[in-house]
Amino acid sequence: MTLNDIEAFLKKAGTYYLATDDGGQPRVRPFGTAHIFEGRLYIQTGRRKDVSKQIRANDRIEICAFDGQKWLRIAARAVEDDRRQARKSMLDAYPELRKMYDEDDGNTQVLYLADATATLSSFTEPPQTLSF
């Protein structure tokens, strides 16, 4: 399993679920962005959203996705990349987001996954794991 495989799985699943901690209360919400930029896997949100505030307070997150046969879990730190080119790369990969976001709007936030462990599981095969 490679980082490209993980990105492809998340895109195939379409929606994945991202979990954060709200000061002791887990919070889970649907996400849909997964983009490799400069060799790192990125996700995107808005700075004004609660999820962004929760990640700033505690950068440990988990992601879970299911494609109908297999599921992927990723435990990671979400690290903000405040460079314009990182935001632009994400929005270029997801042009439908441009209805709500712009790389220069002060709200668009991209985060890469660091210190991550991804585990791909199914009921019929041994799990595959990748650390990145």
Side-chain angles (χ1 to χ4, degrees):
M1 183 168 58
T2 68
L3 196 56
N4 288 331
D5 295 330
I6 293 169
E7 177 195 38
F9 186 96
L10 292 172
K11 287 183 176 188
K12 179 182 175 189
T15 300
Y16 60 86
Y17 297 89
L18 183 132
T20 60
D21 179 358
D22 185 12
Q25 176 64 46
R27 299 291 180 189
V28 180
R29 78 272 295 150
F31 262 62
T33 54
H35 177 60
I36 294 176
F37 175 68
E38 295 182 347
R40 292 181 168 152
L41 182 62
Y42 281 74
I43 61 174
Q44 183 273 335
T45 191
R47 291 181 196 280
R48 295 182 199 110
K49 293 183 175 182
D50 287 343
V51 65
S52 177
K53 296 170 191 166
Q54 292 158 10
I55 290 171
R56 279 194 298 271
N58 179 354
D59 66 359
R60 300 297 309 174
I61 64 163
E62 287 209 9
I63 289 172
C64 187
F66 183 64
D67 74 355
Q69 298 179 8
K70 297 179 181 181
W71 60 96
L72 178 70
R73 289 185 21 190
I74 305 170
R77 289 180 36 248
V79 179
E80 182 173 8
D81 184 341
D82 198 28
R83 296 177 300 152
R84 182 182 191 278
Q85 60 265 39
R87 294 189 303 271
K88 182 177 184 323
S89 180
M90 175 65 79
L91 294 174
D92 287 348
Y94 289 88
E96 64 277 12
L97 291 176
R98 290 195 174 278
K99 295 174 188 170
M100 300 177 292
Y101 296 101
D102 181 85
E103 56 267 23
D104 297 317
D105 65 7
N107 181 41
T108 302
Q109 182 179 39
V110 293
L111 307 118
Y112 65 86
L113 305 187
D115 303 326
T117 300
T119 305
L120 184 64
S121 301
S122 77
F123 289 114
T124 59
E125 301 172 20
Q128 297 177 52
T129 302
L130 177 69
S131 295
F132 57 96

